């Protein structure tokens, strides 16, 4: 064998799963990307790294669910096992699950109006991040979260003008369309973050786009019919997907995660005390200036 063989590029078979994921991302291989995310999730799960496993398996689910041809190419064995694993992780002692349980337990004390505003505070905190992500391919809709928060507040304080109703509907549609956009799920583009570059696809660690869509749609439909508030958005500003991918150590000990946890429970105490609409508006305005990645 030629000595120059030592300097040849590694073949695909010798790539690690993480390297294979990057290779598929670079080549725009959607089926390979879904498989690599799934395989990486399985590896994390087998090592007991459950937060990271949930991130990667969630990403795999988003990718193969985006297109029928991707779903068919990866096959039922993979998709069935991925769904089963996600189901098991939704019952595991993850930070996200802990927060969701805490929100559900406290939601009854706040009542419907309080729950609507509790979620709205989270969306307001995501406004600056959305503005930064909006410059990336397929992410333009995230630049309208601040606008959506303002419209939602108007809807809670009184009747929503038809123009604002239509604007909210458009924002909902654009956010909903993002999950099926290859420019989004191919992990193209990134912005600076405290632990390394932030990719818009890091949001899939908490199914953030799904929860945003549900909340935006619910805000509009509640004006036409009785609609229970959506509270699944409340943990999404924890950005667990990003920190799972970029940071070492215990997720709960990351300063930015600790700060967001404090904000979530502080919001609950604030709303439980029965604030005025002016107080709610002032808190909302302060959150709209917050940069979650600072």
């Amino acid at each position: 064998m030629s000595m120059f063989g030592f300097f040849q590029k590694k073949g695909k078979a010798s790539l690690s799963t993480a390297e294979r994921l990057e290779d598929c991302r670079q080549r725009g291989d959607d089926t390979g990307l879904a498989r690599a995310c799934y395989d990486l999730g399985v590896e994390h799960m087998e090592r007991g790294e459950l937060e990271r496993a949930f991130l990667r398996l969630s990403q795999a689910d988003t990718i193969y669910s985006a297109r029928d041809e991707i779903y068919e190419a990866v096959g039922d064995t993979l998709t069935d096992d991925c769904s089963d694993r996600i189901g098991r992780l939704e019952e595991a002692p993850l930070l996200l699950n802990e927060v969701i349980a805490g929100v559900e337990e406290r939601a009854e004390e706040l009542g419907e109006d309080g729950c609507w505003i509790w979620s709205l505070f989270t969306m307001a905190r995501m406004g600056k991040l959305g503005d930064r992500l909006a410059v990336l391919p397929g992410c333009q809709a995230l630049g309208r979260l601040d606008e959506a928060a303002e419209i939602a507040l108007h809807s809670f304080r009184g009747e929503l003008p038809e123009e604002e109703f239509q604007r909210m509907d458009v924002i909902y549609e654009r956010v909903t369309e993002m999950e099926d956009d290859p420019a989004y799920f191919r992990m193209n583009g990134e912005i600076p973050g405290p632990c390394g570059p932030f990719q818009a696809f890091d949001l899939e660690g908490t199914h953030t786009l799904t929860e945003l869509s549900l909340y935006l749609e619910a805000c509009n439909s509640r004006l036409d019919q009785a609609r229970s508030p959506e509270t699944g958005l409340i943990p999404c500003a924890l950005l667990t997907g990003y920190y799972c991918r970029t940071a070492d150590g215990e997720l709960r000990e990351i300063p930015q995660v600790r700060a967001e946890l404090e904000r979530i429970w502080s919001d609950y105490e604030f709303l439980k005390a029965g604030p005025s609409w002016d107080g709610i508006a002032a808190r909302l305005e302060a959150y709209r200036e917050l940069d979650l990645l600072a």
Side-chain angles (χ1 to χ4, degrees):
M1 177 175 138
S2 168
M3 63 176 288
F4 297 107
F6 288 111
F7 301 99
Q8 292 174 358
K9 184 179 179 181
K10 289 195 293 185
K12 294 288 191 298
S14 62
L15 294 177
S16 69
T17 309
E19 290 170 333
R20 181 157 52 86
L21 186 152
E22 180 61 20
D23 176 67
C24 292
R25 188 187 73 82
Q26 295 279 356
R27 294 186 292 106
D29 177 358
D30 299 335
T31 301
L33 189 61
R35 286 176 174 151
C37 285
Y38 164 78
D39 289 342
L40 202 55
V42 171
E43 290 178 9
H44 285 307
M45 202 166 178
E46 290 176 348
R47 290 197 294 266
E49 300 166 351
L50 302 186
E51 305 275 4
R52 291 180 173 87
F54 183 69
L55 167 66
R56 292 308 186 182
L57 293 170
S58 297
Q59 290 180 332
D61 179 76
T62 295
I63 298 167
Y64 65 63
S65 298
R67 292 280 192 277
D68 288 343
E69 57 269 27
I70 306 175
Y71 192 94
E72 292 170 1
V74 299
D76 291 342
T77 300
L78 185 151
T79 59
D80 289 348
D81 186 64
C82 188
S83 295
D84 177 70
R85 289 175 182 273
I86 289 173
R88 281 185 276 154
L89 288 170
E90 287 174 343
E91 302 298 324
L94 307 185
L95 174 61
L96 178 62
N97 296 340
E98 176 186 304
V99 176
I100 290 172
V103 167
E104 291 175 348
E105 181 181 340
R106 293 166 175 81
E108 293 184 8
E109 300 178 39
L110 293 184
E112 290 194 0
D113 289 346
C115 288
W116 284 111
I117 302 300
W118 199 2
S119 296
L120 180 60
F121 284 152
T122 295
M123 186 163 69
R125 290 197 292 273
M126 297 185 72
K128 286 288 186 185
L129 175 61
D131 285 342
R132 294 178 63 187
L133 291 172
V135 303
L136 303 181
C139 298
Q140 292 83 355
L142 296 178
R144 302 188 68 178
L145 296 184
D146 191 57
E147 178 185 357
E150 183 176 9
I151 295 172
L153 181 62
H154 291 171
S155 77
F156 301 141
R157 300 190 71 169
E159 185 175 350
L160 194 66
E162 181 63 24
E163 178 187 355
E164 291 196 343
F165 183 94
Q166 294 297 331
R167 283 164 55 202
M168 181 70 100
D169 200 43
V170 170
I171 297 171
Y172 156 70
E173 290 177 357
R174 297 295 177 267
V175 171
T176 301
E177 291 166 356
M178 278 184 60
E179 286 183 289
D180 296 335
D181 190 337
Y184 168 72
F185 65 69
R186 284 176 182 165
M187 311 179 189
N188 294 328
E190 56 192 27
I191 61 174
C195 299
F198 187 103
Q199 299 173 349
F201 205 48
D202 288 327
L203 298 174
E204 286 309 301
T206 48
H207 301 291
T208 300
L209 290 189
T210 299
E211 296 301 341
L212 278 170
S213 296
L214 288 170
Y215 186 72
L216 293 169
E217 192 270 338
C219 284
N220 264 13
S221 66
R222 66 181 282 276
L223 301 175
D224 298 324
Q225 55 185 312
R227 179 70 183 257
S228 297
E230 296 283 349
T231 57
L233 181 62
I234 292 169
C236 290
L238 288 166
L239 305 180
T240 56
Y242 167 68
Y243 292 109
C244 281
R245 185 178 65 82
T246 60
D248 296 324
E250 175 60 39
L251 186 61
R252 303 160 198 263
E253 298 305 316
I254 295 169
Q256 291 85 351
V257 175
R258 287 206 312 269
E260 179 58 16
L261 283 171
E262 291 173 4
R263 286 187 285 263
I264 289 172
W265 305 130
S266 174
D267 286 345
Y268 160 74
E269 296 294 344
F270 172 79
L271 291 167
K272 188 179 177 183
S276 66
W277 279 112
D278 287 344
I280 290 171
R283 194 175 184 94
L284 196 69
E285 188 62 30
Y287 281 153
R288 289 166 67 179
E289 297 302 316
L290 179 69
D291 185 350
L292 289 172
L293 295 181

